[in-house]
Amino acid sequence: MRLTPLVIASAALALAAPAAVPATAQARPQSAPPAAPGVSVPGGRYDHTVSLKFRAGHGDTVRYTLDGRTPTRESRAYRPGRPLRITEDTNVTAVAFRGGRASVPVAYGYLIKTKEKPLARFVVMSDVHVGDHENNDKKYESFFDTIGSVFPHPDAILSNGDMINDNGDGKGPDHRIVSDIFRSNLKRKGMTGTQLLISNGNHDDSLAAIRAGYPKAWFPDSGGGYYESDVKGVHLLTVNTETYDGDASQRTWLKNRLTALTTGPGASRKPVLVQGHRPTTGTTMDGQQASNPGLAADLSAFPQAILFSGHSHLNVNDDRSMYQRDFTSVNDGSMSYVEVDHGYQMVTDNGLADRFEAPTAQALFVEIYKDRTEIDRINMAADKHDIYTGGQWSASWQPPYASAGTLAGPGWTVRLKGSTNQQIKDNFRYTAARRNTVAPQFTTRRPVTTARVAGGGTALRVTQAVDDQIVHHYQVDITDTATGAKVLSSEVLSDYYFMPRPNALDIPVPDAVAGHRYRADVVAVDAYGNAARPVSLTFTG
């Protein structure tokens, strides 16, 4: 993708963008790009309005956005001495401009809460997939720094399966590597009172290997890979989804414990957290990669249950990651790399490619209050990179990350309202009946134009549409008007899982012939299938 100097630079975000810039940056040659802006208040969780100032080199102009877009020379300029007031959850993205040069973009996420103290704070992650120190030590230092910026002292970290990369090939001892990395970071961050609670995943070798790799308190099962925990009065039930449907004892245990925990005065309006590696059927992300229908059946009598699941790596930017019917289901995302639903293409430096993976790491930050549960989705790293580099698949992008701590979407709030289970279900807000029906829309006068790409080829440049949630993809059809042949028909992902997202996509026109006339039809589509009005362009190759 070669849109502007910003987009070219974004390919090097992880290596080039520092987290902050000193107020008195050293002078640089006029031909060198400016350093990325720093901020007076780091990203993180605050219980008050944030008054934000940018720091940049002498003579640089900082421009910023508050909606996840990459700032351009037309974006709002920061005026020194006039702080930016952040009063609600916001991603602030900034670029420094000097003459004709621009810095790489850098993004900061701010969660603005009230002064009310939660009963308990949980970090929920999954699919760590650690296999060595070399590729993970620095990465997890950055990840724990991000955790600390949101929850300096989380009450518990739930690591919901697939801690390692075992595929039946004897990698069980790798759990000790994960244990070493997590222990050192818990100590480094002063999280001495934080419980760490693990579930069993399909890439974790055996239950015996998990028990051998971690302290007993991290995996306190009694033999079947399932157990109960109390985190500051909030109950967590960890299930073993590798055996659940065929394990009668585990199923009986879960139903009995849920019955006991939800019976009694006021108990019906207290959440019970459940973690299990694999999602269950008919729930999050429209049931993609789901299993264990028995788990869905057993939870159906308990609207107090909030089930967290991983396994699929499906990103949490997509609002289908939250789903309620008989209980609440939440997709964890992934700490190693994320996926999107299959069948789409991505724009890469080498043109369109069949991709469904991106090297983005995400986790959930959960706060339990007396009358609600707040769930925030946070990027550990969401810099724009292709999962392939030089033809080799890799999700081991190293820090610093210019996107660390940014928000992957607005927070979700779960309220258990009603005096009966049915009333609680009737008051659920993230249901199929209440799905989003707002279609994306193009807001620029000319949303589709053409551009030249490296080597002289022709590309269709699509300026990103906007949506109240996310623009998921674009249906792009390009026809040779002389022959009637369709030269491209593709659903092209919008790069919504990166932060910041590019302002436009350059979609190559395959084998465009000089002098031929083409017609392009483009439709923006959100995650729920709501489609914008199509836009068209006739152009010459």
Side-chain angles (χ1 to χ4, degrees):
M1 180 186 302
R2 292 173 175 81
L3 309 182
T4 67
L6 287 182
V7 178
I8 294 172
S10 70
L13 277 175
L15 299 179
V21 177
T24 55
Q26 293 183 350
R28 294 170 178 262
Q30 186 64 29
S31 59
V39 288
S40 59
V41 181
R45 180 194 185 278
Y46 296 90
D47 60 7
H48 55 78
T49 295
V50 170
S51 183
L52 190 66
K53 299 177 182 178
F54 292 103
R55 298 194 298 262
H58 179 71
D60 294 351
T61 298
V62 176
R63 296 185 179 274
Y64 65 91
T65 65
L66 304 177
D67 60 2
R69 291 184 296 176
T70 302
T72 68
R73 287 178 172 79
E74 287 70 49
S75 299
R76 185 177 303 177
Y78 169 67
R79 306 299 180 192
R82 299 177 62 181
L84 177 64
R85 286 174 56 82
I86 307 297
T87 61
E88 60 185 6
D89 297 353
T90 306
N91 280 324
V92 178
T93 304
V95 171
F97 293 91
R98 183 193 307 137
R101 305 301 298 271
S103 74
V104 295
V106 63
Y108 304 89
Y110 297 88
L111 291 172
I112 308 299
K113 303 288 188 177
T114 68
K115 293 189 179 297
E116 180 183 3
K117 302 301 181 185
L119 303 175
R121 293 187 173 111
F122 297 79
V123 179
V124 184
M125 61 176 69
S126 69
D127 298 275
V128 167
H129 287 293
V130 164
D132 57 41
H133 283 285
E134 179 183 1
N135 291 303
N136 292 283
D137 284 354
K138 293 298 182 183
K139 180 188 293 187
Y140 272 86
E141 284 185 11
S142 175
F143 290 173
F144 270 84
D145 286 345
T146 297
I147 290 172
S149 73
V150 183
F151 293 165
H153 301 286
D155 297 302
I157 295 175
L158 313 186
S159 194
N160 201 1
D162 279 7
M163 304 288 282
I164 63 171
N165 299 306
D166 185 83
N167 290 285
D169 48 0
K171 293 183 178 177
D174 285 355
H175 282 293
R176 296 191 183 95
I177 299 174
V178 188
S179 181
D180 289 343
I181 292 173
F182 277 53
R183 284 181 197 235
S184 64
N185 280 290
L186 288 167
K187 180 178 180 180
R188 182 177 65 88
K189 300 302 293 184
M191 298 177 182
T192 55
T194 299
Q195 296 186 57
L196 208 149
L197 301 165
I198 296 170
S199 75
N200 177 38
N202 55 297
H203 289 292
D204 282 326
D205 192 4
S206 64
L207 297 179
I210 298 175
R211 296 186 199 108
Y214 305 103
K216 174 66 174 177
W218 292 16
F219 189 66
D221 77 316
S222 299
Y226 55 92
Y227 59 89
E228 180 175 352
S229 308
D230 184 312
V231 181
K232 296 187 73 173
V234 176
H235 289 273
L236 167 71
L237 303 175
T238 297
V239 297
N240 181 2
T241 57
E242 299 310 295
T243 61
Y244 188 84
D245 270 17
D247 186 345
S249 296
Q250 182 178 183
R251 295 185 67 172
T252 298
W253 166 81
L254 180 65
K255 288 183 287 187
N256 286 346
R257 293 306 302 140
L258 283 169
T259 299
L261 293 171
T262 58
T263 302
S268 66
R269 292 188 295 277
K270 292 181 180 179
V272 179
L273 306 189
V274 182
Q275 73 164 340
H277 179 62
R278 295 178 188 255
T280 190
T281 50
T283 57
T284 58
M285 298 298 289
D286 295 337
Q288 295 177 61
Q289 301 190 35
S291 60
N292 292 304
L295 180 58
D298 294 345
L299 293 175
S300 64
F302 304 100
Q304 301 82 8
I306 302 178
L307 171 67
F308 294 95
S309 61
H311 178 66
S312 67
H313 291 242
L314 289 164
N315 63 89
V316 300
N317 310 76
D318 193 320
D319 275 83
R320 291 176 294 171
S321 286
M322 161 64 80
Y323 183 74
Q324 293 178 308
R325 185 174 58 199
D326 297 317
F327 54 95
T328 300
S329 299
V330 193
N331 167 38
D332 300 344
S334 165
M335 290 289 281
S336 51
Y337 63 91
V338 300
E339 296 187 11
V340 299
D341 25 354
H342 296 196
Y344 300 92
Q345 292 190 302
M346 292 183 187
V347 177
T348 74
D349 288 340
N350 298 314
L352 281 178
D354 295 331
R355 295 270 199 279
F356 57 88
E357 300 161 315
T360 296
Q362 302 175 324
L364 302 177
F365 288 69
V366 181
E367 298 180 74
I368 310 294
Y369 293 88
K370 290 181 179 180
D371 63 343
R372 67 197 186 281
T373 298
E374 295 185 359
I375 303 171
D376 289 300
R377 26 188 173 159
I378 303 295
N379 292 317
M380 299 287 129
D383 298 359
K384 180 173 171 54
H385 295 294
D386 189 358
I387 200 90
Y388 282 89
T389 303
Q392 297 296 314
W393 189 98
S394 174
S396 295
W397 294 99
Q398 294 297 301
Y401 304 116
S403 55
T406 53
L407 316 185
W412 298 307
T413 300
V414 177
R415 296 182 186 272
L416 303 177
K417 297 171 61 176
S419 57
T420 68
N421 282 356
Q422 189 57 53
Q423 288 175 352
I424 292 173
K425 294 179 184 181
D426 290 343
N427 285 312
F428 280 165
R429 60 183 295 190
Y430 304 102
T431 64
R434 298 182 179 181
R435 278 190 159 187
N436 182 282
T437 59
V438 178
Q441 59 179 314
F442 290 102
T443 58
T444 56
R445 187 172 62 86
R446 298 180 63 203
V448 181
T449 57
T450 57
R452 291 294 176 186
V453 295
T458 300
L460 191 69
R461 177 166 291 174
V462 179
T463 301
Q464 296 261 27
V466 298
D467 189 66
D468 62 328
Q469 293 182 345
I470 59 169
V471 177
H472 184 271
H473 68 274
Y474 298 91
Q475 175 63 52
V476 180
D477 292 282
I478 303 176
T479 305
D480 186 321
T481 60
T483 65
K486 186 165 287 188
V487 299
L488 179 67
S489 182
S490 177
E491 293 179 311
V492 182
L493 292 163
S494 72
D495 281 356
Y496 64 87
Y497 29 78
F498 295 129
M499 178 56 63
R501 67 181 184 276
N503 293 325
L505 300 174
D506 276 3
I507 301 169
V509 181
D511 303 318
V513 178
H516 277 220
R517 297 280 287 172
Y518 297 91
R519 175 187 169 92
D521 297 289
V522 180
V523 178
V525 186
D526 72 9
Y528 291 101
N530 301 307
R533 297 177 62 180
V535 294
S536 301
L537 175 72
T538 300
F539 62 96
T540 301

mmCIF file with all atom_site columns, all heavy atoms in Angstrom, residues 526-541:
data_model
loop_
_atom_site.group_PDB
_atom_site.id
_atom_site.type_symbol
_atom_site.label_atom_id
_atom_site.label_alt_id
_atom_site.label_comp_id
_atom_site.label_asym_id
_atom_site.label_entity_id
_atom_site.label_seq_id
_atom_site.pdbx_PDB_ins_code
_atom_site.Cartn_x
_atom_site.Cartn_y
_atom_site.Cartn_z
_atom_site.occupancy
_atom_site.B_iso_or_equiv
_atom_site.pdbx_formal_charge
_atom_site.auth_seq_id
_atom_site.auth_comp_id
_atom_site.auth_asym_id
_atom_site.auth_atom_id
_atom_site.pdbx_PDB_model_num
ATOM 1   N N   . ASP A 1 526 ? -20.530 -3.349 7.001   1.00 0.00 ? 526 ASP A N   1
ATOM 2   C CA  . ASP A 1 526 ? -20.084 -3.504 8.387   1.00 0.00 ? 526 ASP A CA  1
ATOM 3   C C   . ASP A 1 526 ? -20.114 -4.971 8.796   1.00 0.00 ? 526 ASP A C   1
ATOM 4   O O   . ASP A 1 526 ? -20.439 -5.860 7.997   1.00 0.00 ? 526 ASP A O   1
ATOM 5   C CB  . ASP A 1 526 ? -20.891 -2.604 9.326   1.00 0.00 ? 526 ASP A CB  1
ATOM 6   C CG  . ASP A 1 526 ? -22.333 -3.058 9.550   1.00 0.00 ? 526 ASP A CG  1
ATOM 7   O OD1 . ASP A 1 526 ? -22.700 -4.175 9.122   1.00 0.00 ? 526 ASP A OD1 1
ATOM 8   O OD2 . ASP A 1 526 ? -23.097 -2.297 10.162  1.00 0.00 ? 526 ASP A OD2 1
ATOM 9   N N   . ALA A 1 527 ? -19.775 -5.246 10.058  1.00 0.00 ? 527 ALA A N   1
ATOM 10  C CA  . ALA A 1 527 ? -19.650 -6.628 10.524  1.00 0.00 ? 527 ALA A CA  1
ATOM 11  C C   . ALA A 1 527 ? -20.976 -7.374 10.527  1.00 0.00 ? 527 ALA A C   1
ATOM 12  O O   . ALA A 1 527 ? -20.998 -8.610 10.516  1.00 0.00 ? 527 ALA A O   1
ATOM 13  C CB  . ALA A 1 527 ? -19.039 -6.646 11.928  1.00 0.00 ? 527 ALA A CB  1
ATOM 14  N N   . TYR A 1 528 ? -22.091 -6.655 10.557  1.00 0.00 ? 528 TYR A N   1
ATOM 15  C CA  . TYR A 1 528 ? -23.412 -7.283 10.576  1.00 0.00 ? 528 TYR A CA  1
ATOM 16  C C   . TYR A 1 528 ? -24.033 -7.389 9.188   1.00 0.00 ? 528 TYR A C   1
ATOM 17  O O   . TYR A 1 528 ? -25.191 -7.782 9.053   1.00 0.00 ? 528 TYR A O   1
ATOM 18  C CB  . TYR A 1 528 ? -24.339 -6.504 11.504  1.00 0.00 ? 528 TYR A CB  1
ATOM 19  C CG  . TYR A 1 528 ? -23.959 -6.625 12.966  1.00 0.00 ? 528 TYR A CG  1
ATOM 20  C CD1 . TYR A 1 528 ? -23.276 -5.606 13.608  1.00 0.00 ? 528 TYR A CD1 1
ATOM 21  C CD2 . TYR A 1 528 ? -24.255 -7.773 13.683  1.00 0.00 ? 528 TYR A CD2 1
ATOM 22  C CE1 . TYR A 1 528 ? -22.909 -5.728 14.947  1.00 0.00 ? 528 TYR A CE1 1
ATOM 23  C CE2 . TYR A 1 528 ? -23.894 -7.900 15.013  1.00 0.00 ? 528 TYR A CE2 1
ATOM 24  C CZ  . TYR A 1 528 ? -23.227 -6.873 15.639  1.00 0.00 ? 528 TYR A CZ  1
ATOM 25  O OH  . TYR A 1 528 ? -22.856 -7.002 16.957  1.00 0.00 ? 528 TYR A OH  1
ATOM 26  N N   . GLY A 1 529 ? -23.280 -6.998 8.152   1.00 0.00 ? 529 GLY A N   1
ATOM 27  C CA  . GLY A 1 529 ? -23.789 -7.082 6.797   1.00 0.00 ? 529 GLY A CA  1
ATOM 28  C C   . GLY A 1 529 ? -24.549 -5.865 6.340   1.00 0.00 ? 529 GLY A C   1
ATOM 29  O O   . GLY A 1 529 ? -25.062 -5.844 5.210   1.00 0.00 ? 529 GLY A O   1
ATOM 30  N N   . ASN A 1 530 ? -24.656 -4.825 7.172   1.00 0.00 ? 530 ASN A N   1
ATOM 31  C CA  . ASN A 1 530 ? -25.295 -3.588 6.732   1.00 0.00 ? 530 ASN A CA  1
ATOM 32  C C   . ASN A 1 530 ? -24.420 -2.934 5.669   1.00 0.00 ? 530 ASN A C   1
ATOM 33  O O   . ASN A 1 530 ? -23.210 -2.758 5.871   1.00 0.00 ? 530 ASN A O   1
ATOM 34  C CB  . ASN A 1 530 ? -25.481 -2.628 7.912   1.00 0.00 ? 530 ASN A CB  1
ATOM 35  C CG  . ASN A 1 530 ? -26.325 -3.232 9.014   1.00 0.00 ? 530 ASN A CG  1
ATOM 36  O OD1 . ASN A 1 530 ? -27.429 -3.711 8.773   1.00 0.00 ? 530 ASN A OD1 1
ATOM 37  N ND2 . ASN A 1 530 ? -25.800 -3.224 10.240  1.00 0.00 ? 530 ASN A ND2 1
ATOM 38  N N   . ALA A 1 531 ? -25.012 -2.569 4.534   1.00 0.00 ? 531 ALA A N   1
ATOM 39  C CA  . ALA A 1 531 ? -24.242 -2.100 3.387   1.00 0.00 ? 531 ALA A CA  1
ATOM 40  C C   . ALA A 1 531 ? -24.562 -0.652 3.051   1.00 0.00 ? 531 ALA A C   1
ATOM 41  O O   . ALA A 1 531 ? -25.721 -0.218 3.096   1.00 0.00 ? 531 ALA A O   1
ATOM 42  C CB  . ALA A 1 531 ? -24.521 -2.982 2.168   1.00 0.00 ? 531 ALA A CB  1
ATOM 43  N N   . ALA A 1 532 ? -23.520 0.083  2.705   1.00 0.00 ? 532 ALA A N   1
ATOM 44  C CA  . ALA A 1 532 ? -23.681 1.468  2.270   1.00 0.00 ? 532 ALA A CA  1
ATOM 45  C C   . ALA A 1 532 ? -24.231 1.514  0.850   1.00 0.00 ? 532 ALA A C   1
ATOM 46  O O   . ALA A 1 532 ? -24.241 0.505  0.128   1.00 0.00 ? 532 ALA A O   1
ATOM 47  C CB  . ALA A 1 532 ? -22.339 2.185  2.321   1.00 0.00 ? 532 ALA A CB  1
ATOM 48  N N   . ARG A 1 533 ? -24.680 2.681  0.450   1.00 0.00 ? 533 ARG A N   1
ATOM 49  C CA  . ARG A 1 533 ? -25.064 2.854  -0.948  1.00 0.00 ? 533 ARG A CA  1
ATOM 50  C C   . ARG A 1 533 ? -23.822 2.718  -1.812  1.00 0.00 ? 533 ARG A C   1
ATOM 51  O O   . ARG A 1 533 ? -22.752 3.255  -1.493  1.00 0.00 ? 533 ARG A O   1
ATOM 52  C CB  . ARG A 1 533 ? -25.690 4.239  -1.149  1.00 0.00 ? 533 ARG A CB  1
ATOM 53  C CG  . ARG A 1 533 ? -26.979 4.434  -0.364  1.00 0.00 ? 533 ARG A CG  1
ATOM 54  C CD  . ARG A 1 533 ? -27.513 5.842  -0.537  1.00 0.00 ? 533 ARG A CD  1
ATOM 55  N NE  . ARG A 1 533 ? -27.852 6.136  -1.924  1.00 0.00 ? 533 ARG A NE  1
ATOM 56  C CZ  . ARG A 1 533 ? -28.334 7.295  -2.335  1.00 0.00 ? 533 ARG A CZ  1
ATOM 57  N NH1 . ARG A 1 533 ? -28.524 8.278  -1.465  1.00 0.00 ? 533 ARG A NH1 1
ATOM 58  N NH2 . ARG A 1 533 ? -28.620 7.484  -3.607  1.00 0.00 ? 533 ARG A NH2 1
ATOM 59  N N   . PRO A 1 534 ? -23.901 2.000  -2.920  1.00 0.00 ? 534 PRO A N   1
ATOM 60  C CA  . PRO A 1 534 ? -22.710 1.782  -3.746  1.00 0.00 ? 534 PRO A CA  1
ATOM 61  C C   . PRO A 1 534 ? -22.226 3.073  -4.386  1.00 0.00 ? 534 PRO A C   1
ATOM 62  O O   . PRO A 1 534 ? -23.023 3.974  -4.677  1.00 0.00 ? 534 PRO A O   1
ATOM 63  C CB  . PRO A 1 534 ? -23.184 0.777  -4.789  1.00 0.00 ? 534 PRO A CB  1
ATOM 64  C CG  . PRO A 1 534 ? -24.668 0.919  -4.828  1.00 0.00 ? 534 PRO A CG  1
ATOM 65  C CD  . PRO A 1 534 ? -25.089 1.320  -3.464  1.00 0.00 ? 534 PRO A CD  1
ATOM 66  N N   . VAL A 1 535 ? -20.928 3.148  -4.572  1.00 0.00 ? 535 VAL A N   1
ATOM 67  C CA  . VAL A 1 535 ? -20.337 4.257  -5.329  1.00 0.00 ? 535 VAL A CA  1
ATOM 68  C C   . VAL A 1 535 ? -19.637 3.654  -6.535  1.00 0.00 ? 535 VAL A C   1
ATOM 69  O O   . VAL A 1 535 ? -19.137 2.520  -6.489  1.00 0.00 ? 535 VAL A O   1
ATOM 70  C CB  . VAL A 1 535 ? -19.365 5.077  -4.472  1.00 0.00 ? 535 VAL A CB  1
ATOM 71  C CG1 . VAL A 1 535 ? -20.099 5.779  -3.347  1.00 0.00 ? 535 VAL A CG1 1
ATOM 72  C CG2 . VAL A 1 535 ? -18.254 4.199  -3.911  1.00 0.00 ? 535 VAL A CG2 1
ATOM 73  N N   . SER A 1 536 ? -19.594 4.423  -7.625  1.00 0.00 ? 536 SER A N   1
ATOM 74  C CA  . SER A 1 536 ? -19.042 3.909  -8.880  1.00 0.00 ? 536 SER A CA  1
ATOM 75  C C   . SER A 1 536 ? -18.047 4.899  -9.459  1.00 0.00 ? 536 SER A C   1
ATOM 76  O O   . SER A 1 536 ? -18.098 6.105  -9.186  1.00 0.00 ? 536 SER A O   1
ATOM 77  C CB  . SER A 1 536 ? -20.156 3.641  -9.897  1.00 0.00 ? 536 SER A CB  1
ATOM 78  O OG  . SER A 1 536 ? -21.084 2.698  -9.393  1.00 0.00 ? 536 SER A OG  1
ATOM 79  N N   . LEU A 1 537 ? -17.156 4.381  -10.287 1.00 0.00 ? 537 LEU A N   1
ATOM 80  C CA  . LEU A 1 537 ? -16.168 5.211  -10.974 1.00 0.00 ? 537 LEU A CA  1
ATOM 81  C C   . LEU A 1 537 ? -15.828 4.550  -12.302 1.00 0.00 ? 537 LEU A C   1
ATOM 82  O O   . LEU A 1 537 ? -15.580 3.341  -12.349 1.00 0.00 ? 537 LEU A O   1
ATOM 83  C CB  . LEU A 1 537 ? -14.895 5.347  -10.126 1.00 0.00 ? 537 LEU A CB  1
ATOM 84  C CG  . LEU A 1 537 ? -13.739 6.100  -10.777 1.00 0.00 ? 537 LEU A CG  1
ATOM 85  C CD1 . LEU A 1 537 ? -14.062 7.593  -10.834 1.00 0.00 ? 537 LEU A CD1 1
ATOM 86  C CD2 . LEU A 1 537 ? -12.433 5.862  -10.033 1.00 0.00 ? 537 LEU A CD2 1
ATOM 87  N N   . THR A 1 538 ? -15.841 5.328  -13.359 1.00 0.00 ? 538 THR A N   1
ATOM 88  C CA  . THR A 1 538 ? -15.350 4.867  -14.651 1.00 0.00 ? 538 THR A CA  1
ATOM 89  C C   . THR A 1 538 ? -13.995 5.507  -14.886 1.00 0.00 ? 538 THR A C   1
ATOM 90  O O   . THR A 1 538 ? -13.833 6.717  -14.730 1.00 0.00 ? 538 THR A O   1
ATOM 91  C CB  . THR A 1 538 ? -16.318 5.244  -15.772 1.00 0.00 ? 538 THR A CB  1
ATOM 92  O OG1 . THR A 1 538 ? -17.604 4.639  -15.513 1.00 0.00 ? 538 THR A OG1 1
ATOM 93  C CG2 . THR A 1 538 ? -15.803 4.755  -17.119 1.00 0.00 ? 538 THR A CG2 1
ATOM 94  N N   . PHE A 1 539 ? -13.007 4.684  -15.257 1.00 0.00 ? 539 PHE A N   1
ATOM 95  C CA  . PHE A 1 539 ? -11.648 5.195  -15.396 1.00 0.00 ? 539 PHE A CA  1
ATOM 96  C C   . PHE A 1 539 ? -10.936 4.467  -16.524 1.00 0.00 ? 539 PHE A C   1
ATOM 97  O O   . PHE A 1 539 ? -11.387 3.421  -17.013 1.00 0.00 ? 539 PHE A O   1
ATOM 98  C CB  . PHE A 1 539 ? -10.869 5.030  -14.085 1.00 0.00 ? 539 PHE A CB  1
ATOM 99  C CG  . PHE A 1 539 ? -10.697 3.604  -13.636 1.00 0.00 ? 539 PHE A CG  1
ATOM 100 C CD1 . PHE A 1 539 ? -9.538  2.890  -13.937 1.00 0.00 ? 539 PHE A CD1 1
ATOM 101 C CD2 . PHE A 1 539 ? -11.691 2.961  -12.902 1.00 0.00 ? 539 PHE A CD2 1
ATOM 102 C CE1 . PHE A 1 539 ? -9.372  1.584  -13.516 1.00 0.00 ? 539 PHE A CE1 1
ATOM 103 C CE2 . PHE A 1 539 ? -11.535 1.649  -12.474 1.00 0.00 ? 539 PHE A CE2 1
ATOM 104 C CZ  . PHE A 1 539 ? -10.373 0.960  -12.790 1.00 0.00 ? 539 PHE A CZ  1
ATOM 105 N N   . THR A 1 540 ? -9.797  5.028  -16.923 1.00 0.00 ? 540 THR A N   1
ATOM 106 C CA  . THR A 1 540 ? -8.981  4.445  -17.985 1.00 0.00 ? 540 THR A CA  1
ATOM 107 C C   . THR A 1 540 ? -7.735  3.833  -17.387 1.00 0.00 ? 540 THR A C   1
ATOM 108 O O   . THR A 1 540 ? -7.076  4.445  -16.530 1.00 0.00 ? 540 THR A O   1
ATOM 109 C CB  . THR A 1 540 ? -8.580  5.518  -19.006 1.00 0.00 ? 540 THR A CB  1
ATOM 110 O OG1 . THR A 1 540 ? -9.754  6.095  -19.550 1.00 0.00 ? 540 THR A OG1 1
ATOM 111 C CG2 . THR A 1 540 ? -7.750  4.913  -20.131 1.00 0.00 ? 540 THR A CG2 1
ATOM 112 N N   . GLY A 1 541 ? -7.416  2.627  -17.814 1.00 0.00 ? 541 GLY A N   1
ATOM 113 C CA  . GLY A 1 541 ? -6.252  1.943  -17.286 1.00 0.00 ? 541 GLY A CA  1
ATOM 114 C C   . GLY A 1 541 ? -4.944  2.541  -17.749 1.00 0.00 ? 541 GLY A C   1
ATOM 115 O O   . GLY A 1 541 ? -4.889  3.352  -18.657 1.00 0.00 ? 541 GLY A O   1
#
